[in-house]
Amino acid sequence: MNGTQSIDSPWGVSVFGAASVDAAPDLARLRVAISQTKNKPGDAFAATRTGVNRIREVLRGHGVPETAVSTSRLNLASQWSYGNERTFLGYECTASFVIELRELDILEAVLVDVVDAGANEVKGVEFDVRTKRELRARARTAAVAAAREKAALYAEAAGVHLGPVIHIKDVGAEQMQGYRSHSGNHGGGGEGDLTPGRVTVSAGVVLGLSLVGG
């Protein structure tokens, strides 16, 4: 196919519009895990449960409600080392946590205390906003306006007028090259601060509009 090939079924103009809305994060999700390896499965379970209780006690001390902490099931797996010969190390029991914090000023203290309490794996910290639905609605409205503005420019340059919208297609964040995912984090906080400067909520849309001769 080459650039001079005609359009088989001309019907109007199709344009893509995108927009983003920035907001300061007001929510953080900490993903941590605690693992204990013992010679017997029961001992591994018991050691991990003890660690889970210590972590929950630390979180209660920071005022984090029980409803803000979700724990996966305890997983048990045998562990081996592979050197000159295969050696059995024991049974490893792992419990994973997702901790939701709405007070970002205690984030660093909570993370340090949870690790001190026995969490030996920090899987990540995700920042978010509680008003994401409202922010996405604003981004979608702005994306439609951007698409219409682009279509109007094309129509004016071509000497025609825009007719009604006849097609609307939502474009997912993962499809928008050049735009970050709606859950992506941008910017950065102050020096030594774990909190990002902003969270960006993006939206994209493809509009199809009919054309009326000039």
Side-chain angles (χ1 to χ4, degrees):
M1 181 181 295
N2 58 61
T4 61
Q5 183 173 347
S6 63
I7 300 174
D8 292 334
S9 302
W11 55 269
V13 59
S14 178
V15 289
F16 170 75
S20 298
V21 178
D22 292 341
D26 58 7
L27 183 69
R29 295 184 185 90
L30 283 64
R31 301 181 185 277
V32 300
I34 179 171
S35 298
Q36 295 290 330
T37 301
K38 300 293 181 182
N39 290 330
K40 297 180 179 180
D43 293 341
F45 273 119
T48 303
R49 286 197 191 96
T50 298
V52 167
N53 291 336
R54 285 198 304 266
I55 291 173
R56 287 191 173 275
E57 184 177 349
V58 163
L59 294 174
R60 283 193 293 269
H62 282 286
V64 179
E66 292 287 336
T67 55
V69 184
S70 59
T71 310
S72 70
R73 294 180 179 178
L74 297 179
N75 296 321
L76 185 70
S78 57
Q79 295 297 308
W80 301 79
S81 66
Y82 297 90
N84 293 330
E85 59 182 24
R86 186 167 178 260
T87 304
F88 178 67
L89 299 177
Y91 294 94
E92 182 183 65
C93 183
T94 303
S96 298
F97 290 84
V98 178
I99 305 164
E100 187 172 280
L101 295 180
R102 298 196 173 191
E103 297 180 27
L104 298 188
D105 56 338
I106 67 171
L107 170 61
E108 294 181 40
V110 168
L111 192 55
V112 169
D113 289 348
V114 164
V115 171
D116 287 343
N120 44 23
E121 183 178 353
V122 178
K123 298 183 177 180
V125 179
E126 172 192 348
F127 294 96
D128 209 342
V129 287
R130 281 175 274 178
T131 58
K132 179 169 284 183
R133 177 174 295 183
E134 292 83 354
L135 294 176
R136 181 159 341 270
R138 286 171 51 192
R140 284 172 171 160
T141 300
V144 170
R148 292 191 68 101
E149 181 180 1
K150 187 187 296 185
L153 288 173
Y154 283 133
E156 181 180 0
V160 295
H161 298 288
L162 292 176
V165 174
I166 58 177
H167 179 80
I168 301 175
K169 178 183 178 182
D170 180 62
V171 179
E174 67 281 356
Q175 298 173 286
M176 294 192 298
Q177 294 185 3
Y179 288 84
R180 286 189 179 263
S181 168
H182 64 268
S183 61
N185 302 328
H186 300 262
E191 183 178 354
D193 187 359
L194 289 178
T195 309
R198 69 185 188 217
V199 171
T200 299
V201 180
S202 299
V205 66
V206 173
L207 289 187
L209 301 95
S210 61
L211 295 175
V212 180

